[in-house]
Amino acid sequence: MGNDELAYRFSEEIYATKNDIKRALNTNLIEPIWDRVIKYRSAYEITLGFCDVYKKPFTLVFLPSIKKLIDDIESIVERFVEEHHNLTANSIENISFFNDILKHDLRLVAKSENIIVNDVALENIINNTNNNPDYAILERYTELYKNIVSSVFEDVDESDLLSFIETLYGEEKANLYRQKEITAYSQKVLINREFVAAPTKRIPEMMESGLAFINDKNNATIVSLAAISFLFNYIKPFENYNDLMAGSTIRALIKARFGFEASLLPITSFLLEANDTLSQALKESSRGNNDFTYYLIEFCKALQSCCQYSLDKIVQVSSKEAQKAYFDKDNVAPSTEDVTHKQIENSSVTPIKEKKERRVDPVVSSKPVVNTSSYEDLDEKALKRAAQDLLESDPNLRPNQAKFYVRHCKLGKYYTIQQFKKFTGCVYETARTSMDNLARRGYYRREQIKNKFVYTPISKE
């Protein structure tokens, strides 16, 4: 096998480290092969907006296989959002789902803090009836979890981070970032020096560029989420609770990008479970070429496991729903979001920011007659006029919904929530409710194909 073929194999089929290649080929004489691997990857290399302690930027090798991985992980997150949104059971089942997810997080948080806890104690913590001072950090983490789920985020800034860390400490903090140095022998040597944490004087600058990167909506959301985990582990910006802060910050950003349901995912626990592999990937990513790709891959594996676990929980709840629906067919259940929010409200936790969820009017009034074929072959100016006409004939539509529809109304075609999200630049939750509103208003017919919903235009002629 030629070096070029090996370069493809060790990049696209498996994103190998230098040591991986040595083990795979059972030889240490791989320099020519490694040089070809680096050359192959360089054609796909992207410079990222955050740097190491020496101010050298990290890079991402955006191979076709990496793009597919990112798309696959985004799809499974969207699948969880969709499946959770479709839960129609009564409040007992929905609260049970919420509690099970939160318990999973709390068990791993307890383990990371060397706390022994049982299910009864976890129930007390979630229901605010715990009296054991040994569980204080678990209580504070639960409060932070519920705060984030109950709040609205456009992005994540330092004021949010300060609120998170103060909640975990249970007191106000004079300084957001760490003031003491963290050192190790590997940080003192002159050759092959490895930092276990960023020097304190570099933290503010590194966090400023890091936050700017993760909030940039031009970046793939999965890359931004992975960057949070990476930076919080690489920099270790806080005196304590860096792992919990990473999980909580990811929870806030994933809510901003994917909506309410995604914020329920037990992200922290799966990052803690993957700590060893993530730590090894962090070391690999912070060596040589500063290749963030190694860390991204391991983060995606952890997030995929997190989503799959949560989807399995939904299946368990759904089986209970089916039994309940069979014996109580006349039961009318509240939406899953209302149920979970009701439980959070009962916990007497004050949200970080005022909740301003926008709901679509479920009442379908008379639907306007629209000739979809009349929109075909129109120029951009005419399409804008058509969208305005549509708004004037149907005031229950939003401007973005009208703009999207007049450009996506060819009969026989199928459109997705992701297309609306990309077209408007909105978050997934807004895209979903917008497409559902268009379907309720009679513009599209919603159909389920495998694990996702698609929308096909309905003839108005």
Side-chain angles (χ1 to χ4, degrees):
M1 186 178 290
N3 287 351
D4 288 341
E5 292 178 350
L6 288 172
Y8 178 89
R9 171 188 167 189
F10 290 123
S11 296
E12 294 284 5
E13 296 179 9
I14 175 175
Y15 200 80
T17 66
K18 196 171 185 179
N19 286 332
D20 289 336
I21 298 175
K22 288 179 181 179
R23 286 191 291 269
L25 301 179
N26 196 27
T27 179
N28 289 326
L29 304 176
I30 65 161
E31 289 304 325
I33 297 171
W34 183 245
D35 289 343
R36 296 300 298 178
V37 169
I38 295 300
K39 183 177 180 180
Y40 178 84
R41 294 177 181 180
S42 65
Y44 298 92
E45 190 174 270
I46 299 171
T47 300
L48 303 178
F50 54 93
C51 302
D52 65 11
V53 295
Y54 298 110
K55 300 186 179 182
K56 179 183 176 181
F58 286 94
T59 60
L60 172 64
V61 181
F62 203 60
L63 297 160
S65 58
I66 298 300
K67 181 181 185 303
K68 182 179 184 303
L69 174 64
I70 292 170
D71 291 342
D72 288 347
I73 300 303
E74 182 169 298
S75 293
I76 196 172
V77 174
E78 291 175 347
R79 180 185 165 200
F80 167 77
V81 169
E82 197 70 51
E83 292 293 331
H84 185 274
H85 179 75
N86 289 334
L87 286 176
T88 55
N90 61 40
S91 61
I92 296 175
E93 279 76 19
N94 283 300
I95 291 175
S96 175
F97 173 82
F98 177 85
N99 286 351
D100 286 348
I101 292 293
L102 182 50
K103 281 180 184 177
H104 193 277
D105 251 10
L106 288 173
R107 288 190 190 97
L108 270 294
V109 172
K111 184 178 180 180
S112 72
E113 297 293 323
N114 297 314
I115 298 171
I116 299 174
V117 66
N118 56 33
D119 281 351
V120 174
L122 291 177
E123 288 284 354
N124 291 336
I125 291 167
I126 292 173
N127 295 322
N128 290 333
T129 56
N130 171 62
N131 294 317
N132 189 337
D134 293 339
Y135 301 148
I137 181 57
L138 302 182
E139 284 188 299
R140 295 195 293 267
Y141 177 81
T142 301
E143 179 183 353
L144 177 55
Y145 181 105
K146 293 178 179 179
N147 279 348
I148 293 173
V149 169
S150 300
S151 302
V152 176
F153 296 92
E154 291 292 331
D155 49 29
V156 181
D157 57 29
E158 287 189 339
S159 65
D160 294 315
L161 297 182
L162 181 61
S163 176
F164 298 169
I165 198 69
E166 287 181 341
T167 301
L168 290 174
Y169 272 95
E171 62 184 20
E172 292 186 0
K173 297 289 292 179
N175 299 295
L176 171 59
Y177 298 130
R178 173 169 52 85
Q179 301 296 304
K180 297 178 182 178
E181 299 292 355
I182 301 175
T183 58
Y185 174 77
S186 62
Q187 211 164 291
K188 298 177 182 178
V189 298
L190 298 179
I191 300 175
N192 295 326
R193 178 181 296 179
E194 293 182 356
F195 282 85
V196 296
T200 54
K201 64 181 180 181
R202 291 279 292 120
I203 293 176
E205 180 183 351
M206 293 177 74
M207 287 298 294
E208 181 181 2
S209 61
L211 288 171
F213 177 83
I214 67 173
N215 287 321
D216 187 347
K217 294 182 176 62
N218 292 318
N219 299 324
T221 298
I222 302 302
V223 174
S224 293
L225 300 178
I228 295 171
S229 177
F230 178 83
L231 289 168
F232 282 29
N233 281 283
Y234 178 74
I235 300 172
K236 293 181 176 59
F238 311 105
E239 297 286 355
N240 292 299
Y241 307 132
N242 284 286
D243 289 335
L244 307 191
M245 285 292 291
S248 299
T249 306
I250 290 170
R251 188 179 314 286
L253 191 66
I254 205 171
K255 182 175 187 183
R257 299 291 186 267
F258 289 97
F260 164 77
E261 284 91 351
S263 68
L264 299 175
L265 289 165
I267 297 162
T268 303
S269 56
F270 281 87
L271 294 180
L272 290 170
E273 284 183 329
N275 182 64
D276 290 343
T277 54
L278 287 173
S279 296
Q280 185 57 42
L282 185 145
K283 288 182 180 179
E284 202 62 51
S285 289
S286 53
R287 291 172 181 163
N289 293 333
N290 275 8
D291 189 354
F292 173 69
T293 316
Y294 293 110
Y295 195 91
L296 172 67
I297 291 170
E298 295 304 322
F299 175 85
C300 285
K301 292 178 183 177
L303 185 54
Q304 182 178 31
S305 297
C306 176
C307 291
Q308 192 57 58
Y309 170 86
S310 303
L311 284 166
D312 290 344
K313 283 292 178 185
I314 288 179
V315 171
Q316 294 175 17
V317 172
S318 296
S319 65
K320 294 178 182 178
E321 290 176 2
Q323 295 175 17
K324 178 68 176 176
Y326 181 81
F327 292 108
D328 188 12
K329 294 180 181 178
D330 294 329
N331 179 58
V332 179
S335 72
T336 57
E337 183 170 343
D338 287 343
V339 169
T340 310
H341 277 244
K342 181 178 180 181
Q343 191 214 14
I344 295 168
E345 289 166 5
N346 290 339
S347 67
S348 300
V349 175
T350 303
I352 299 169
K353 301 176 183 176
E354 183 182 357
K355 181 73 177 173
K356 294 182 179 178
E357 295 288 348
R358 180 178 296 169
R359 293 189 174 276
V360 178
D361 185 358
V363 178
V364 180
S365 59
S366 57
K367 299 164 186 153
V369 176
V370 179
N371 185 357
T372 58
S373 63
S374 65
Y375 296 142
E376 295 181 19
D377 301 322
L378 295 182
D379 60 23
E380 187 60 27
K381 186 176 180 180
L383 284 171
K384 288 180 180 179
R385 269 200 316 272
Q388 185 59 39
D389 289 342
L390 194 58
L391 285 172
E392 291 172 358
S393 64
D394 187 358
N396 287 304
L397 289 183
R398 297 289 182 183
N400 276 342
Q401 294 169 13
K403 291 175 186 176
F404 180 86
Y405 177 75
V406 298
R407 292 166 176 82
H408 301 82
C409 58
K410 188 174 180 63
L411 295 178
K413 296 288 187 178
Y414 290 86
Y415 304 106
T416 65
I417 295 169
Q418 190 62 33
Q419 283 178 280
F420 189 98
K421 178 174 177 282
K422 184 176 181 180
F423 177 81
T424 62
C426 66
V427 299
Y428 181 85
E429 176 78 357
T430 301
R432 176 179 57 73
T433 55
S434 294
M435 291 299 285
D436 284 348
N437 185 46
L438 285 165
R440 281 194 293 268
R441 301 289 305 148
Y443 295 93
Y444 294 121
R445 181 174 66 254
R446 190 174 82 160
E447 298 178 8
Q448 186 167 4
I449 297 179
K450 293 185 179 180
N451 294 320
K452 69 176 183 179
F453 286 104
V454 294
Y455 301 77
T456 185
I458 298 173
S459 176
K460 299 289 186 178
E461 297 181 11

